[in-house]
């Protein structure tokens, strides 16, 4: 059975970090679905398209060429990995992600990404909409303050400027929009494992997630057992 692991949760909950570590440990593909919405926001800006023009955005979503190559994220052949990580790109992503036409346009691309040897997919609706039959579903949360702090450190490490109170406000605003939209709102799947990570280290979170993955896919133990 093709291993499919979904990690959903709000902005800054550490999904991306955990998804990457998990994929590396078990040799699985890693799908950063948030990057797709960030790329679409960027592509729309480049094309001069309004973030509210659902039909045109869906067209761009269907025609943009996306490649993930290690740390590189290519949009129509150009590496924009750094550009899509800004808060501005995150906000644009959250807006285009609220449009049903856009979500429909990106659905099949995401499902097609789940090929051998398997995938770890992180986002908001991986366990609820994109991969409802995934064997392992994690819903990762942390307080808004803790998430803002993590984001602040992440941005600083990348040499991007940030301001903590602004980040808390933006995170709360984005949570609100992601949780209350009509299509695929941020919500744990009924069969998701809920993990509150405010006071946990990355290692502690990873250990629990690895435990969940091995329960569903014991065959992966050969590739990177509990002790790593
Ligand atoms: O995970 P992220 O911060 O890169 O996501 C950016 C935005 O994209 C986020 O505000 C909500 C949206 N998103 C979504 O709606 N569905 C997903 N599966 C992933 C991200």
């Amino acid at each position: 059975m093709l291993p499919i692991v979904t990690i959903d949760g709000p902005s800054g909950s550490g999904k991306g970090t955990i998804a990457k570590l998990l994929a590396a440990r078990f040799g699985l593909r890693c799908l950063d679905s948030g990057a797709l919405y960030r790329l679409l926001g960027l592509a729309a800006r480049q094309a001069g398209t309004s973030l509210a023009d659902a039909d045109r955005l869906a067209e761009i979503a269907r025609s943009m060429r996306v490649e993930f190559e290690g740390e590189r994220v290519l949009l129509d052949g150009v590496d924009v990995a750094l550009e899509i990580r800004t808060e501005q790109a995150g906000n644009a992503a959250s807006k285009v992600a609220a449009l049903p036409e856009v979500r429909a346009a990106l659905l099949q691309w995401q499902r097609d990404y789940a090929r051998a040897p398997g995938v770890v997919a992180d986002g908001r609706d991986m366990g609820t909409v994109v991969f409802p039959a995934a064997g392992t579903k994690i819903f990762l949360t942390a307080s808004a303050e803790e998430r803002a702090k993590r984001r602040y450190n992440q941005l600083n490490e990348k040499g991007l400027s940030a301001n903590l109170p602004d980040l808390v406000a933006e995170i709360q605003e984005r949570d609100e929009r992601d949780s209350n939209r009509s299509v695929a709102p941020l919500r744990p799947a009924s069969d998701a494992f809920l993990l509150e990570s405010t006071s946990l280290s990355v290692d502690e979170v990873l250990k629990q997630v690895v435990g969940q993955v091995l329960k569903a896919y014991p065959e992966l133990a050969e590739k990177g057992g509990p002790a790593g």
Side-chain angles (χ1 to χ4, degrees), residues 6-67:
T6 62
I7 305 182
D8 289 305
S11 245
S13 58
K15 309 177 299 279
T17 303
I18 296 297
K20 273 194 204 123
L21 291 170
L22 199 64
R25 169 171 313 202
F26 292 124
L28 302 174
R29 314 186 80 204
C30 192
L31 173 63
D32 171 4
S33 64
L36 296 177
Y37 296 96
R38 288 171 181 266
L39 287 166
L40 179 58
L42 181 62
R45 182 152 60 91
Q46 289 172 350
T49 299
S50 150
L51 296 183
D53 187 343
D55 291 336
R56 180 74 193 113
L57 288 168
E59 259 173 53
I60 298 176
R62 275 189 291 268
S63 64
M64 65 182 185
R65 194 158 49 82
V66 176
E67 291 155 283

Side-chain angles (χ1 to χ4, degrees), residues 1-5 26-28 114-119 131-137 212-221 223:
M1 196 182 19
L2 188 72
I4 300 183
V5 178
F26 292 124
L28 302 174
R115 297 189 290 274
V119 70
F131 301 113
T136 307
K137 298 181 183 179
Q212 292 299 313
V213 172
L214 290 177
K215 250 201 248 173
Y217 302 107
E219 67 277 15
L220 288 178
K223 295 195 180 175

